[in-house]
């Protein structure tokens, strides 16, 4: 006949089973927690990578748009500089033409004054008179010619000064217009830098299998001790 199973054996087996189940449950729970933590960290890492890539794409689009705008602004600047130069050339040519007209007018006036003086001297000589009155009349014609010629020369000098000042003003206006166009240029866009990549997470380790084995051995020893103490009071 089979010997009856002792109470100590039953209690020890039950104690071992309970302790073993608890140890295995804790082991599995720790494994699941670690796996979940690793999965969350990996998912967050992938999301950070996607965000960095999207940020870099946006930087690239903005840089290309700014580069196109800067190129268009430079082209407009060069066109404005050319326009300013053309306008300055036109204004200078007009001023030169105006001064040449003054010169021609002065030349015609000078010739007219000389012709008039010759005519006056001819009239004096035609009288056939002599003496001091004749000399005074001849000198008066020369003096009158000198006054008129001096007036012509002064008028021409004033016109020359006015023309020079006008040309200087034209050049200053051109320089101011060029400076305004330059100040309107946008700064060249800076080449965008790549975003910092997120740090790759380090995979956490789960609970040690040796620890589980140790807990099971400890549970077995404890259960055996409990059963032995019951069977051997």
């Amino acid at each position: 006949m089979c010997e009856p199973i002792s109470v100590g054996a039953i209690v020890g087996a039950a104690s071992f089973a309970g302790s073993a189940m608890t140890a295995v449950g804790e082991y599995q729970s720790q494994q699941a927690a670690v796996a979940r933590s690793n999965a969350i960290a990996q998912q967050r890492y992938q999301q950070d990578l996607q965000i960095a890539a999207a940020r870099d794409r946006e930087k690239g689009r903005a840089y290309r748009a700014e580069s196109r705008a800067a190129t268009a602004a430079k082209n407009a600047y060069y066109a404005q500089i050319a326009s300013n130069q053309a306008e300055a050339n036109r204004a200078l040519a007009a001023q030169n033409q105006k001064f040449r007209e003054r010169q021609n007018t002065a030349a015609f006036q000078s010739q007219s004054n000389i012709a008039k003086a010759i005519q006056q001297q001819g009239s004096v000589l035609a009288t056939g008179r002599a003496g001091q009155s004749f000399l005074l009349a001849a000198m008066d014609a020369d003096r009158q010619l000198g006054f008129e010629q001096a007036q012509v020369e002064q008028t021409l000098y004033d016109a020359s000064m006015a023309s020079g000042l006008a040309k200087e003003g034209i050049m200053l206006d051109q320089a101011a217009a060029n400076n305004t166009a330059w100040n309107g240029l946008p700064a060249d866009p800076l080449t965008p830098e790549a975003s910092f990549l997120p740090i790759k997470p380090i995979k956490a380790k789960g609970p040690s299998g040796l620890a589980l084995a140790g807990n099971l051995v400890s549970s077995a020893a404890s259960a055996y001790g409990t059963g032995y103490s019951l069977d051997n009071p």
Side-chain angles (χ1 to χ4, degrees), residues 76-167:
Y77 166 76
Y78 293 131
Q80 185 62 50
I81 293 298
S83 176
N84 293 343
Q85 184 63 58
E87 176 60 23
N89 292 341
R90 184 203 63 77
L92 290 173
Q95 192 60 42
N96 288 335
Q97 178 61 30
K98 183 178 180 181
F99 182 65
R100 282 194 296 270
E101 292 174 357
R102 292 287 183 87
Q103 286 178 315
N104 292 335
T105 300
F108 292 143
Q109 184 64 44
S110 180
Q111 291 176 359
S112 176
N113 293 339
I114 293 173
K116 185 171 66 174
I118 293 174
Q119 184 179 7
Q120 289 178 352
Q121 289 178 350
S123 299
V124 171
L125 293 174
T127 60
R129 293 183 297 173
Q132 186 176 2
S133 60
F134 172 78
L135 180 59
L136 291 175
M139 291 176 61
D140 184 67
D142 290 337
R143 185 171 58 254
Q144 186 64 32
L145 175 62
F147 289 154
E148 292 175 349
Q149 289 297 91
Q151 185 177 7
V152 170
E153 291 177 359
Q154 183 63 44
T155 300
L156 188 60
Y157 174 80
D158 292 340
S160 176
M161 292 293 294
S163 179
L165 291 174
K167 290 180 181 179

Side-chain angles (χ1 to χ4, degrees), residues 16 216-226:
F16 172 72
L216 291 176
V217 171
S218 177
S219 297
S222 176
Y224 175 78
T226 300

